Amino acid sequence: MNWFPIIPGWDGIHPAMVMFPIVLLLATPLLLLTSLFAREAWRGWAGAALVTMVLGTLAAWLAVGSGHAAGQLVDKTRELEAAILRHESLGVNVRTDFTGLTTLNVALLLLPRWIKRPIPAALRNGVLAVFLAGYVTATGIIAHAADAGGRLVHQQGVRALVDAPVASITKAPAAATPTPVPRAPVPR
């Protein structure tokens, strides 16, 4: 009996990989909000938010990469291909938007060091509040990407079989099988 779970390959790890950016990027606003109200300890909370953002953004890059690899193995109908492209597009938007937001947050936190003087608390909190509002708005993209991925799994039947070869990622049989879209062979 094997006590350890089978770890899937790069193209099969996407279902687990997507959880990291979702959790980390959705937890970050709570840390940012806390830094707004922590007068003396705001740097620590803002630093924790930055670390969480960086890890979440890196995880988004990995999730997009593993999702693209997994999507190459799916036997696609026209409808399924459109749904996969929508999910992939939303994932790329998450990756791009949060890369920009993370870069902006780094710049905001390093600004006092660059100008060699502290930023007044009222100005800092105002800028952070505007950043937080933009960040929370961007989290809607995460929700849309997650919803599109959930629809692929629960409505379209796309799944990854962890205990089988990764090439077994496929669409569940449907009542009427539409004509598949031709695809280029995957090099092995």
Side-chain angles (χ1 to χ4, degrees), residues 92-133:
V92 169
N93 286 346
V94 167
R95 179 189 70 187
T96 303
D97 291 352
F98 283 92
T99 298
L101 284 168
T102 301
T103 304
L104 180 59
N105 194 16
V106 167
L108 290 174
L109 289 177
L110 291 179
L111 183 62
R113 288 188 181 169
W114 292 337
I115 63 172
K116 295 183 171 100
R117 66 177 194 197
I119 304 291
L123 178 61
R124 180 189 71 234
N125 285 343
V127 169
L128 186 57
V130 170
F131 178 79
L132 183 58

Side-chain angles (χ1 to χ4, degrees), residues 23-162:
V23 169
L24 292 169
L25 293 174
L26 292 180
T28 300
L30 300 173
L31 297 169
L32 287 171
L33 186 63
T34 304
S35 74
L36 270 174
F37 296 106
R39 293 178 192 252
E40 298 299 321
W42 76 269
R43 278 189 182 91
W45 288 102
L50 180 61
V51 168
T52 306
M53 258 181 103
V54 167
L55 292 174
T57 301
L58 290 174
W61 279 84
L62 294 173
V64 168
S66 66
H68 180 73
Q72 298 299 312
L73 299 177
V74 177
D75 294 325
K76 299 174 186 93
T77 62
R78 292 193 195 284
E79 178 186 331
L80 184 58
E81 184 173 17
I84 289 173
L85 286 175
R86 176 171 158 41
H87 176 57
E88 187 173 350
S89 173
L90 288 166
V92 169
N93 286 346
V94 167
R95 179 189 70 187
T96 303
D97 291 352
F98 283 92
T99 298
L101 284 168
T102 301
T103 304
L104 180 59
N105 194 16
V106 167
L108 290 174
L109 289 177
L110 291 179
L111 183 62
R113 288 188 181 169
W114 292 337
I115 63 172
K116 295 183 171 100
R117 66 177 194 197
I119 304 291
L123 178 61
R124 180 189 71 234
N125 285 343
V127 169
L128 186 57
V130 170
F131 178 79
L132 183 58
Y135 189 97
V136 169
T137 302
T139 59
I141 299 168
I142 297 172
H144 286 303
D147 179 61
R151 289 180 189 277
L152 282 171
V153 171
H154 298 291
Q155 290 177 352
Q156 303 285 340
V158 175
R159 66 189 186 287
L161 301 176
V162 176

